[in-house]
Amino acid sequence: MAETLFPTRQRCKTCSKKLGGPGVAVYLGLHCSPRCAGLAEPHQDAATAPRECKTERNSHWEFKRRYRSFSEIPNNLREDPSTSWYWCGHCGSLHIGHSRIDLTRESHRVLGDREALSDLLVKSRGHATLKQVAEVAKIRPIRLKELEDPLSLKFDANALFAVLGVYRLKLAAVLREAPAGRKY
């Protein structure tokens, strides 16, 4: 059963003290303090904080924006399918992960599973709708939806290559020498 999180949850899960309030931190959506959440005290200096809690801006480290609940994330970010968010193991807050692919910084990506491929396709689509991309790729929108869903049992390779052509992406394989003694 899913936990009730802040702001619906009004009391700390561990000590039952009041949870939240204007400007008061909430940890993992359940706790009033790092101690109750089982976390160490967060770093005060962004340079010494773990990578999951900081971002580099203008050649120096800054803390990522902290959200206490999903409802505090701005609507434009929540509704964008290319945006992801996660609970930080350092500060116990929600942070925004990568929201779009930045072609000026990223020239290639290694995809290890179906979920990574789906993520790449969703982020490459950006603000375009399924229907718009499918029309340009000359495929049915349902085929693109199946490609973007990592749990879909259907996978049309021809549709994948059509969509990759629209996004101007090329599929590559990383070839490695087989270890000694391996027959295949």
Side-chain angles (χ1 to χ4, degrees):
M1 185 171 161
E3 293 277 355
T4 303
L5 301 175
F6 178 82
T8 305
R9 176 181 287 277
Q10 296 294 307
R11 299 267 173 210
C12 174
K13 182 178 179 181
T14 306
C15 68
S16 298
K17 288 184 182 174
K18 185 176 183 325
L19 194 60
V24 178
V26 175
Y27 300 87
L28 304 174
L30 300 167
H31 305 283
C32 65
S33 69
R35 182 176 178 219
C36 287
L39 301 171
E41 284 293 324
H43 290 268
Q44 299 302 315
D45 180 26
T48 60
R51 180 66 181 98
E52 67 181 326
C53 198
K54 64 185 179 182
T55 187
E56 190 173 6
R57 289 192 186 111
N58 301 323
S59 300
H60 71 278
W61 291 108
E62 294 181 14
F63 282 108
K64 288 185 176 181
R65 168 97 188 196
R66 295 175 181 179
Y67 300 100
R68 301 180 299 176
S69 69
F70 297 109
S71 61
E72 289 182 353
I73 297 173
N75 281 339
N76 62 331
L77 292 175
R78 265 188 292 149
E79 293 171 0
D80 186 349
S82 69
T83 302
S84 63
W85 48 82
Y86 60 93
W87 288 105
C88 178
H90 172 252
C91 70
S93 300
L94 280 169
H95 293 309
I96 301 296
H98 293 291
S99 58
R100 287 201 179 74
I101 297 172
D102 183 3
L103 294 175
T104 62
R105 302 181 85 194
E106 187 175 4
S107 64
H108 70 280
R109 182 180 287 192
V110 177
L111 306 175
D113 56 17
R114 178 79 187 271
E115 189 173 328
L117 173 64
S118 299
D119 182 59
L120 175 71
L121 293 174
V122 170
K123 289 180 179 179
S124 296
R125 182 164 50 90
H127 292 293
T129 65
L130 291 169
K131 186 176 180 181
Q132 290 169 334
V133 173
E135 187 176 305
V136 174
K138 296 183 174 107
I139 62 170
R140 295 177 51 212
I142 189 70
R143 297 295 165 245
L144 178 56
K145 187 174 182 180
E146 291 166 354
L147 291 171
E148 289 184 357
D149 180 6
L151 301 177
S152 174
L153 298 176
K154 287 224 173 200
F155 187 89
D156 185 348
N158 291 328
L160 174 64
F161 284 106
V163 171
L164 290 176
V166 170
Y167 295 153
R168 296 185 178 152
L169 298 173
K170 293 182 179 178
L171 191 62
V174 178
L175 303 175
R176 297 191 177 138
E177 189 174 320
R182 192 179 274 180
K183 300 286 183 192
Y184 57 95

